[in-house]
Amino acid sequence: MIISISWRNIWRNKVRSLVIIAAITIGIFAGVFTWAFYRGMVNQRVQTAIATESSHIQIHAEKYRENPDQKFFIKNIDSIAAIILETEGVKAVSGRIMVNAMITSAETGAGVKINAIDPEMEKQVTNTHTKLTAGDYFAGDKKTPLLIGEKLAEKLSVKLRSRVVLTFQAMDGTLTTGLFRVGGIYKTANSMIDETNVFMKSSDAVKLIGISPDAGHELAVMLMDNDAERLNLVTGRLKAAFPGLDVAAWREIMPEVSIVEESMDLMMYVFMGVILAALIFGIINTMLMAVLERVKELGMLMAVGMNKSRVFRMIMLETVFLTFTGGVFGVGAGYLISLVFYHKGIDLSRWADAYEKLGYDTIVYPVIEFDIAWQVAIMVLVTGVLAAVYPAMKAIRLKPADSLRIDM
Amino acid sequence: MLSFQLAWRSLWRNPKRTMITVAAVFLAVLLSTFMSSLQEGTYVKMIDNMVKFYSGYIQVHHPDYWASKSINDTYIPEDSVFKSIGSVGEIILAVPRLESFTLISSGEETRGCALIGIDPVLEDQLTGLSKWVEQGTYLVPGDKGVLLAVNLAKNLGVSTGDTLVLISQGYHGESASALMPVRGILKFPSPQLNGFGAYIDIAGAGEFFGAAGRVTSVALLVKDYHLVKTASRKLQIALGNNYSVKTWDEMQPELVSMIEGDRAGAVIMKGVLYMVVGFGILGTIIMMMAERRKEMGIMVAVGMQKYRLQGILFFESLLIGMLGVLVGTVISIPVIIMLVNNPVPLPESMAEAYESFGFEPMIFFSMIPRVFLNQAITVFGMTLLIAVYPLWGIWKMDAIRAIRS
Amino acid sequence: MKVIEIRNLVKDYTDSAIQVRAVNQVDLIIEEGEFTAVVGPSGSGKTTLLNLLGGLDLPTGGEIFINNIRLNDLTATGLIDFRLYNIGFVFQAYNLIPVLTAGENVEFIMELQGKPRSERRKRSHELLESVGLADRIDSRPSKLSGGQQQRVAVARALASRPRFILADEPTANLDSVSAQNLLDIMEKLNHDEKITFIFSTHDVRVVRKARRVITLEDGRVVSDVRQV
């Protein structure tokens, strides 16, 4: 019955209760929505990074990641790729030969990384082929075409069909050069990538570098979707299938992106905390008024036999109900609105410049996930309980004799 | 004037109620200042970290250097350059560098990398390079040895004491070649950096590239991030057209984008906070009005003009606003100072990740005046806005009903 | 059978640095089935005495036994429990919990005692019937007249099967008809069920109905009269 009494007590002063519930609802809604918004943004950054840079999983020879030297290559890369493709959850695989080289044009030179690929396979794994600003992605039968980034093209002062020379160390140690023509120019969000990565056909690389045609340095694996569970599952399976190789998921490959994700969550906790701190004051205030107005009634309750712990519980429940009602509406509203915008997207083109450079799409899709909802719910609950303490203590400190004393 | 005095007195007739309302304002100031300080501090620290890593806040180049990155676009930093740099008070460190792409080999192995000529002492002050020395020793001024990034060393199969052959294209096409011993091995926190370069003493670099006394850039450290724009402007004026002065945001636009994105988000969050605390203040004002309905009804019934009453209430709100903002600011100052001097350590999992990048694993705060001023003004403005509610309430009030309530 | 026994009861207060002896050496015995009024002007110690009788306060000196249990020995928590099981209260006002219906108000006491739902329901119905309000069992106090509220209060006071009911100015806020009604019901309960009633009152109507009148002045009993 105390539960029933507590709940009904909230509605005794409708205006007052509604004001505080409204405040809580708005605050929580804002917090939840902002969280979903940020998560959407970060998720996109992650997806973009995965799509353009690292893919979901990368496989290398054991020592390669620590020391990216061409001598650490993977053997039988084609058969390995075939096995991976059979694995459930895998959408596409692409094998690459990677060698450090110096590229020179008529004007100047620079250090680059050669990515030798099978264009058809690569297309399924990364989206670089959609980012061309000139030329094509290894279409046609041109001799030794090279795909370079726009930043690099600028630096080297070259354009389509220009000649460039690549100098590198072949597998047997000899210094080798190869003549290439710029067949395409690409531009991604990350100009550093554009400046240091060039792409060629693996057939050309095999000839020049003297590497065996079924060897490579990197296998990039793209999964069906971005589900974390699936990622773990497939990574585990691949690790088990290829114990001699280094199988790493994107978090290991791009720790800086992983940090962004975690920082964001931390930031949101702090933000929610600040909002709740702001609200707790209002809640305590409201409940204090509720208690002080009822001095005589509380006196009566204690006189007829309601002990202190019951009175404490009653006030505590009232506070928690009040807070939680606002919280439920806030989370609900946050959920709903986030969902709506998840389907519609929020257009940020006004701030387009900044975001585009970073690879963020100018349209953000807030992502509302269950863990946001229940974590916020818990924070709200804790806030309610904390807020209840002071008013409840005030209530039990009353002496029934005092509060009922007849006013003569 | 009378209204003002009445307002002041009426506030203190019920100190508890007044204190509660003041507390709402005070809390608003405190929380928004906290958040502002946090956002600003994080932002500045992030830039600081990125910038100290290599590029510095400002760099001075030959006008063509940035586009070409060629050894030919170097300059001799004469006294006039250093004098100009010195004339800009905000600059606290000038670090010269001479760098270009070089092939390094040992035995059968050859690798290409960036060879960076540095002033060991100054460079260390900027980037703390010496702390990454894993094997051997750091360079001393005039050193003839090479500091090699660990992966380069591994690939070349060398360690401290071994000899390297260096070949490059020098100044104005002269070929550059030399034999140098490995002085030490550098291990950086992030794998990508571990293969990128080698450091030698700048005098030695000058000799090697045939560009004695020349630099590709002078990297500058500024006292405080907020002074960068002023400093670079002053410097460009002092240096004239023979030199190009580039700031960190021009040199690393990705960084800027990353931070801009953050900024926009931060603004939204602050907006939300203001809304919530605004509601808190509104709540206390509403309750205050409700409590005093009877007494206000009596005042009007007895003969006080409504506008007089509104005046009194407005002054009350004004006073509460001023008091709350004052107390809030006064209290937040020591709190923020304490936080600035004692940054909050990050939780375990994040701390590791940060440290692996060479960043300090802590949350930083800022105490530039803007952090306090903006919040004080905004909250005060908000209070004034909210003060309209009581005015409207009185305007609508029916005195007789109010007395009965 | 003795319901209440008081020996040498003394209660002191400090009222703005002055020591006040509100109850001064009172001896009193109240038996089962009494219908007793305690009267006296303000300052007579009437309120204080009733607080002590009702276990709402503890004496400074002397002893108080209710049903042979020595109240002095109880802690504050113990007192609350004691009241729950042994004393029924009807106050001048604020008797009922505004958010509960009449029936729920009566059930409330039984719930505090931990009685099962079926028993509560049944007894609540019975009690409200005995005060003539069975048809208002689902009404909230705001829908009841002053007199009806007081009657519900009586029903509620009976719910815990107390040793006695302490009624503090129960008729003060009522018009004459309601007051008479209330007193008649209380009298009937006293007569039929032998329920002990102790009133604190200024109301002449109550005094007339009482069979024993105790008068207090300056903390002492100055007269103790039995009447018919």
Side-chain angles (χ1 to χ4, degrees):
Chain A
M1 204 178 253
I2 294 192
I3 297 181
S4 171
I5 297 179
S6 302
W7 173 252
R8 294 191 211 177
N9 271 338
I10 299 177
W11 304 110
R12 283 162 81 153
N13 188 331
K14 291 216 175 73
V15 172
R16 188 172 65 204
S17 295
L18 284 174
V19 166
I20 190 72
I21 289 180
I24 298 175
T25 302
I26 293 183
I28 304 288
F29 157 71
V32 169
F33 183 70
T34 310
W35 203 328
F37 181 85
Y38 264 103
R39 204 168 257 206
M41 249 175 65
V42 167
N43 270 11
Q44 255 181 290
R45 168 75 187 109
V46 168
Q47 295 333 312
T48 310
I50 290 180
T52 38
E53 298 169 38
S54 80
S55 317
H56 286 112
I57 303 174
Q58 280 186 3
I59 302 180
H60 306 99
E62 249 188 273
K63 296 228 173 76
Y64 188 81
R65 263 197 305 138
E66 210 189 295
N67 183 1
D69 190 272
Q70 64 211 55
K71 62 181 182 246
F72 301 117
F73 57 86
I74 305 171
K75 293 197 259 257
N76 304 315
I77 208 168
D78 290 324
S79 41
I80 295 180
I83 297 178
I84 298 177
L85 265 174
E86 303 272 296
T87 314
E88 194 190 321
V90 172
K91 177 163 149 233
V93 181
S94 176
R96 302 166 184 149
I97 296 168
M98 307 199 305
V99 173
N100 288 327
M102 185 146 113
I103 188 172
T104 39
S105 67
E107 287 289 320
T108 181
V112 295
K113 186 167 84 165
I114 297 176
N115 299 272
I117 53 167
D118 174 334
E120 291 310 307
M121 284 178 81
E122 184 79 4
K123 269 193 204 171
Q124 296 181 42
V125 169
T126 65
N127 61 10
T128 314
H129 62 279
T130 60
K131 310 250 176 197
L132 295 183
T133 58
D136 58 64
Y137 193 78
F138 304 111
D141 266 323
K142 303 198 199 74
K143 259 186 83 180
T144 58
L146 195 68
L147 179 67
I148 68 175
E150 198 177 86
K151 193 94 195 286
L152 184 62
E154 277 171 28
K155 189 173 177 184
L156 297 174
S157 304
V158 296
K159 49 192 208 295
L160 223 49
R161 316 266 328 130
S162 297
R163 284 199 203 155
V164 290
V165 172
L166 285 166
T167 313
F168 47 86
Q169 192 171 34
M171 292 305 283
D172 61 5
T174 52
L175 221 53
T176 316
T177 55
L179 187 60
F180 285 80
R181 272 197 198 271
V182 177
I185 301 181
Y186 71 91
K187 180 171 161 70
T188 67
N190 191 333
S191 55
M192 224 173 33
I193 297 254
D194 295 358
E195 196 173 340
T196 53
N197 283 282
V198 303
F199 296 84
M200 66 169 67
K201 290 201 275 202
S202 46
S203 45
D204 290 335
V206 163
K207 264 185 262 164
L208 274 174
I209 298 175
I211 191 173
S212 143
D214 70 342
H217 296 99
E218 184 171 278
L219 277 163
V221 181
M222 207 50 172
L223 302 180
M224 299 284 193
D225 58 38
N226 297 311
D227 182 49
E229 283 268 330
R230 191 193 289 274
L231 181 64
N232 284 339
L233 215 62
V234 175
T235 312
R237 284 222 189 99
L238 293 180
K239 278 197 173 151
F242 306 111
L245 294 176
D246 169 31
V247 176
W250 68 266
R251 274 184 208 279
E252 280 183 73
I253 309 278
M254 301 191 293
E256 68 278 7
V257 176
S258 196
I259 271 199
V260 167
E261 237 195 354
E262 284 179 46
S263 303
M264 192 256 334
D265 264 348
L266 181 69
M267 189 168 70
M268 291 285 90
Y269 284 127
V270 172
F271 183 51
M272 276 315 304
V274 169
I275 291 185
L276 286 170
L279 289 173
I280 208 176
F281 174 77
I283 301 171
I284 294 182
N285 205 19
T286 307
M287 283 310 299
L288 259 180
M289 295 196 104
V291 165
L292 294 175
E293 283 177 351
R294 284 188 263 157
V295 166
K296 287 221 186 302
E297 184 181 323
L298 288 166
M300 178 275 290
L301 286 174
M302 288 203 265
V304 299
M306 191 162 170
N307 62 27
K308 299 217 166 172
S309 90
R310 282 190 164 123
V311 172
F312 192 88
R313 245 182 296 154
M314 185 176 82
I315 305 292
M316 175 84 56
L317 274 173
E318 275 183 50
T319 317
V320 168
F321 278 141
L322 197 68
T323 314
F324 216 65
T325 306
V328 163
F329 280 127
V331 171
Y335 222 96
L336 240 79
I337 309 269
S338 298
L339 228 57
V340 165
F341 280 110
Y342 178 70
H343 288 109
K344 276 183 57 186
I346 301 179
D347 195 357
L348 293 172
S349 28
R350 234 168 302 159
W351 300 281
D353 276 337
Y355 285 119
E356 239 174 16
K357 289 230 190 90
L358 209 52
Y360 286 119
D361 262 315
T362 52
I363 304 186
V364 176
Y365 297 89
V367 169
I368 183 76
E369 280 164 343
F370 191 59
D371 71 310
I372 296 179
W374 74 253
Q375 279 181 87
V376 170
I378 293 199
M379 288 171 90
V380 169
L381 197 65
V382 169
T383 306
V385 169
L386 283 174
V389 171
Y390 183 58
M393 300 242 70
K394 268 257 173 222
I396 63 177
R397 293 249 170 88
L398 296 169
K399 291 217 201 86
D402 289 342
S403 41
L404 288 170
R405 189 161 299 168
I406 315 165
D407 303 299
M408 284 309 254
Chain B
M1 234 321 103
L2 188 60
S3 296
F4 192 80
Q5 285 175 312
L6 278 176
W8 180 254
R9 298 234 197 109
S10 91
L11 278 184
W12 298 115
R13 261 192 329 158
N14 190 338
K16 229 186 190 173
R17 184 208 296 141
T18 305
M19 289 285 55
I20 290 183
T21 318
V22 170
V25 177
F26 151 77
L27 194 72
V29 171
L30 194 65
L31 288 177
S32 55
T33 305
F34 173 80
M35 204 153 95
S36 206
S37 170
L38 174 65
Q39 286 172 342
E40 188 72 21
T42 311
Y43 176 83
V44 168
K45 191 63 183 174
M46 190 160 47
I47 298 178
D48 207 52
N49 276 335
M50 299 290 182
V51 148
K52 280 218 184 107
F53 202 74
Y54 185 69
S55 72
Y57 277 111
I58 306 177
Q59 281 189 9
V60 180
H61 310 126
H62 183 282
D64 297 324
Y65 178 72
W66 193 248
S68 73
K69 299 275 174 55
S70 157
I71 190 79
N72 294 329
D73 293 322
T74 51
Y75 63 96
I76 299 184
E78 311 127 18
D79 288 334
S80 59
V81 172
F82 281 113
K83 237 209 291 194
S84 305
I85 293 178
S87 74
V88 179
E90 291 88 343
I91 299 177
I92 54 176
L93 193 62
V95 178
R97 292 195 186 122
L98 179 62
E99 63 182 283
S100 190
F101 190 77
T102 304
L103 287 174
I104 303 190
S105 44
S106 163
E108 296 268 310
E109 302 286 338
T110 306
R111 291 288 180 277
C113 71
L115 185 68
I116 308 167
I118 57 169
D119 174 323
V121 174
L122 291 175
E123 181 77 22
D124 197 34
Q125 286 178 21
L126 176 67
T127 64
L129 192 60
S130 62
K131 66 176 183 260
W132 304 116
V133 176
E134 190 194 41
Q135 208 194 93
T137 55
Y138 187 60
L139 296 177
V140 296
D143 206 313
K144 301 274 185 235
V146 182
L147 280 179
L148 216 48
V150 67
N151 283 344
L152 275 178
K154 278 200 205 151
N155 294 333
L156 293 170
V158 299
S159 59
T160 316
D162 293 337
T163 311
L164 297 171
V165 177
L166 286 78
I167 299 181
S168 181
Q169 192 166 42
Y171 188 55
H172 284 160
E174 268 187 47
S175 77
S177 59
L179 282 169
M180 294 194 199
V182 177
R183 185 67 67 222
I185 312 260
L186 297 164
K187 182 151 185 208
F188 294 103
S190 129
Q192 297 157 307
L193 298 164
N194 281 328
F196 102 110
Y199 292 86
I200 58 175
D201 178 73
I202 196 170
E207 241 184 77
F208 175 71
F209 287 115
R214 306 190 83 89
V215 296
T216 48
S217 69
V218 176
L220 304 169
L221 191 62
V222 177
K223 221 184 298 189
D224 183 278
Y225 151 75
H226 294 101
L227 301 167
V228 170
K229 286 268 174 289
T230 334
S232 85
R233 241 180 299 130
K234 279 196 202 169
L235 190 59
Q236 184 76 77
I237 294 176
L239 288 172
N241 287 335
N242 290 324
Y243 300 95
S244 149
V245 174
K246 290 222 178 293
T247 51
W248 66 273
D249 50 319
E250 292 170 307
M251 294 189 285
Q252 292 176 281
E254 302 87 50
L255 204 57
V256 180
S257 314
M258 185 166 75
I259 289 168
E260 292 280 296
D262 252 15
R263 272 287 219 218
V267 169
I268 293 178
M269 290 206 282
K270 247 206 258 162
V272 168
L273 182 66
Y274 282 137
M275 200 169 54
V276 172
V277 295
F279 237 91
I281 299 176
L282 181 65
T284 52
I285 300 263
I286 288 181
M287 293 201 259
M288 185 177 80
M289 286 294 290
E291 273 173 40
R292 292 165 73 184
R293 253 175 81 74
K294 194 168 185 173
E295 93 190 39
M296 293 196 293
I298 291 178
M299 282 202 254
V300 170
V302 154
M304 176 180 272
Q305 289 285 4
K306 275 195 178 179
Y307 73 79
R308 284 294 292 283
L309 192 56
Q310 285 171 325
I312 295 179
L313 249 74
F314 183 75
F315 277 122
E316 280 185 30
S317 305
L318 197 75
L319 287 168
I320 288 178
M322 291 200 310
L323 206 61
V325 164
L326 200 67
V327 174
T329 308
V330 162
I331 301 236
S332 36
I333 290 180
V335 170
I336 299 288
I337 290 184
M338 190 203 70
L339 285 171
V340 168
N341 290 328
N342 297 298
V344 176
L346 285 172
E348 265 296 323
S349 56
M350 291 192 66
E352 267 182 55
Y354 269 63
E355 275 172 328
S356 76
F357 278 91
F359 298 154
E360 294 159 83
M362 303 200 245
I363 301 178
F364 289 92
F365 292 84
S366 161
M367 53 182 185
I368 57 172
R370 176 161 38 104
V371 161
F372 299 100
L373 236 57
N374 281 13
Q375 311 338 306
I377 294 176
T378 312
V379 172
F380 186 66
M382 223 168 29
T383 311
L384 284 185
L385 206 68
I386 293 174
V388 170
Y389 169 75
L391 301 186
W392 174 78
I394 292 174
W395 184 67
K396 272 197 66 186
M397 179 175 72
D398 176 348
I400 300 179
R401 284 253 184 81
I403 300 180
R404 294 263 173 80
S405 65
Chain C
M1 205 221 322
K2 282 188 280 196
V3 172
I4 305 179
E5 180 169 353
I6 307 177
R7 297 194 209 137
N8 290 327
L9 203 64
V10 174
K11 180 70 186 180
D12 293 326
Y13 284 119
T14 315
D15 182 12
S16 14
I18 306 173
Q19 272 270 45
V20 176
R21 177 151 289 194
V23 174
N24 200 347
Q25 303 279 22
V26 171
D27 293 300
L28 203 53
I29 293 180
I30 302 201
E31 310 260 351
E32 191 183 1
E34 282 195 31
F35 203 78
T36 301
V38 177
V39 300
S42 20
S44 59
K46 181 178 67 174
T47 317
T48 316
L49 179 63
L50 256 72
N51 280 344
L52 292 166
L53 283 180
L56 290 167
D57 207 351
L58 283 171
T60 322
E63 296 172 300
I64 172 165
F65 294 85
I66 295 184
N67 218 54
N68 293 320
I69 297 171
R70 192 168 174 275
L71 250 58
N72 307 55
D73 300 331
L74 297 177
T75 59
T77 320
L79 269 181
I80 299 180
D81 249 3
F82 184 81
R83 294 199 295 269
L84 179 61
Y85 287 93
N86 294 287
I87 308 176
F89 288 91
V90 178
F91 299 107
Q92 176 177 348
Y94 297 101
N95 271 302
L96 306 177
I97 301 173
V99 298
L100 295 180
T101 63
E104 285 168 339
N105 263 290
V106 177
E107 283 188 47
F108 181 64
I109 300 285
M110 292 186 268
E111 165 130 7
L112 287 178
Q113 288 179 329
K115 301 270 194 280
R117 174 170 274 198
S118 48
E119 185 182 325
R120 298 200 310 252
R121 283 272 163 82
K122 190 159 155 281
R123 192 153 156 76
S124 151
H125 205 95
E126 278 169 15
L127 290 168
L128 281 171
E129 225 184 287
S130 68
V131 298
L133 286 172
D135 59 330
R136 305 307 295 272
I137 193 169
D138 288 322
S139 304
R140 287 211 185 177
S142 52
K143 303 276 191 281
L144 300 172
S145 72
Q148 289 171 323
Q149 286 180 33
Q150 294 302 74
R151 282 193 274 162
V152 175
V154 173
R156 199 245 342 246
L158 290 168
S160 58
R161 298 185 199 274
R163 302 277 150 232
F164 62 93
I165 293 189
L166 204 53
D168 187 2
E169 295 289 359
T171 54
N173 296 354
L174 302 179
D175 62 81
S176 45
V177 175
S178 315
Q180 199 56 50
N181 245 327
L182 186 66
L183 287 170
D184 287 340
I185 288 175
M186 286 170 155
E187 198 180 31
K188 186 162 184 298
L189 289 166
N190 173 254
H191 182 263
D192 295 346
E193 325 257 346
K194 296 272 173 291
I195 296 174
T196 314
F197 278 88
I198 304 176
F199 296 88
S200 153
T201 186
H202 286 261
D203 193 338
V204 147
R205 300 170 292 201
V206 179
V207 175
R208 258 186 293 188
K209 273 237 197 271
R211 291 195 304 276
R212 175 182 176 188
V213 179
I214 302 172
T215 313
L216 284 182
E217 206 176 289
D218 293 330
R220 296 197 126 90
V221 175
V222 296
S223 110
D224 188 351
V225 178
R226 289 182 204 258
Q227 57 185 40
V228 177

